[in-house]
Amino acid sequence: MNEVKKFLFVNRKAPYGTIYALESLEVVLITAAFDQDVSLAFLDDGVYQLKKGQQTKGIETKNFSPTYRALDGYDVEKLYVEKESLDARGLTEEDLLVDVTVLGSREMGALMDEQDVVLSF
Amino acid sequence: MLHIINKSPLGNNSLDACLRVAASGDILLIEDAVYAATKGNAMEGKVREAMSRLKIHILLPDLEARGLADRIIEGVAKVDYGGFVDLVAANKNCQSWL
């Protein structure tokens, strides 16, 4: 039971339009509390979750983007973003509100391969 | 007529389908559809092309929430919630592309 497993959270949805991004974040924090080896992957519209400058006052919804910056306080420090997804959205690493590792598609695939558990949002 | 889109253009084909069939009128991009009106998005070319025959509007609070209000394609009209209501009232009918 005390065996540490490698967990990967795969985030492919934009924030706010659906509840997936926020729910993923909740489960990430729970998993981290159990001292597991946690990584987060952002691809497709999931890269929008990390966009700087989110201002949600106008839609009267909680802006949860600052939480990504707090993840290192929970020892969640491995954030991976797919380069092809950034490119298709006109985004660069400088547009993101946290430090990430940018991976090509095949490297992202290899990261998924090496996990014990993959949770998809 | 007014076409309302609320899905990201890269995760769903609602906007593509709308642009395929709509010859004229207004399109309002709300929620995750606002990404379509941002520079550098893979849909930018199609959106610019559509602007010659359709008037494209975006709901600004949704773009602000997503941190992209400074990246809107020139010529796309920004509306607030009151402007949303005005668009609905000004058109004889509307379709939400779910």
Side-chain angles (χ1 to χ4, degrees), chain A residues 56-61, chain B residues 28 30 59-62 79-87:
Chain A
T56 59
K57 201 164 160 232
I59 61 168
E60 297 183 26
T61 298
Chain B
L28 174 60
I30 66 170
L59 190 60
L60 188 59
D62 279 325
V79 299
D80 57 11
Y81 291 105
F84 188 160
V85 175
D86 292 341
L87 274 172

Side-chain angles (χ1 to χ4, degrees), chain B residues 13-89:
Chain B
N13 76 344
S14 295
L15 179 58
D16 249 332
C18 173
L19 295 180
R20 189 178 69 239
V21 305
S24 63
D26 291 297
I27 293 184
L28 174 60
L29 305 173
I30 66 170
E31 299 170 16
D32 285 345
V34 297
Y35 291 121
T38 59
K39 290 178 199 164
N41 188 286
M43 276 297 281
E44 180 178 356
K46 277 192 183 177
V47 169
R48 285 191 188 272
E49 183 201 16
M51 285 166 67
S52 60
R53 60 194 163 92
L54 293 147
K55 179 71 185 165
I56 301 193
H57 312 259
I58 62 120
L59 190 60
L60 188 59
D62 279 325
L63 198 57
E64 288 171 341
R66 290 159 180 80
L68 287 159
D70 59 345
R71 240 171 258 197
I72 185 167
I73 295 170
E74 307 84 13
V76 171
K78 296 178 252 188
V79 299
D80 57 11
Y81 291 105
F84 188 160
V85 175
D86 292 341
L87 274 172
V88 173

Side-chain angles (χ1 to χ4, degrees), chain A:
Chain A
M1 282 297 282
N2 354 346
E3 174 197 358
V4 174
K5 289 189 175 178
K6 289 172 75 70
F7 282 75
L8 177 69
F9 290 83
V10 177
N11 299 284
R12 297 185 49 250
K13 297 276 199 288
Y16 311 115
T18 65
I19 199 71
Y20 287 96
L22 178 58
E23 291 293 326
S24 171
L25 209 41
E26 302 273 6
V27 184
V28 165
L29 294 174
I30 292 166
T31 309
F34 285 94
D35 294 326
Q36 299 299 304
D37 179 351
V38 177
S39 300
L40 273 62
F42 297 87
L43 50 158
D44 299 313
D45 280 345
V47 301
Y48 282 135
Q49 295 177 27
L50 302 179
K51 177 69 181 67
K52 276 180 190 163
Q54 298 176 34
Q55 305 277 354
T56 59
K57 201 164 160 232
I59 61 168
E60 297 183 26
T61 298
K62 180 183 162 67
N63 177 2
F64 55 84
S65 66
T67 311
Y68 296 105
R69 277 205 293 263
L71 286 175
D72 64 344
Y74 296 85
D75 293 325
V76 175
E77 289 161 341
K78 292 184 279 191
L79 277 61
Y80 301 93
V81 174
E82 190 202 19
K83 181 176 188 302
E84 285 74 0
S85 299
L86 289 175
D87 290 347
R89 288 158 185 81
L91 300 176
T92 65
E93 214 175 327
E94 285 68 50
D95 289 314
L96 307 182
L97 47 75
V98 278
D99 290 334
V100 301
T101 303
V102 177
L103 300 178
S105 302
R106 293 304 171 106
E107 295 173 290
M108 185 61 87
L111 176 75
M112 292 173 178
D113 253 7
E114 69 189 34
Q115 304 298 319
D116 295 309
V117 182
V118 178
L119 293 156
S120 193
F121 290 86

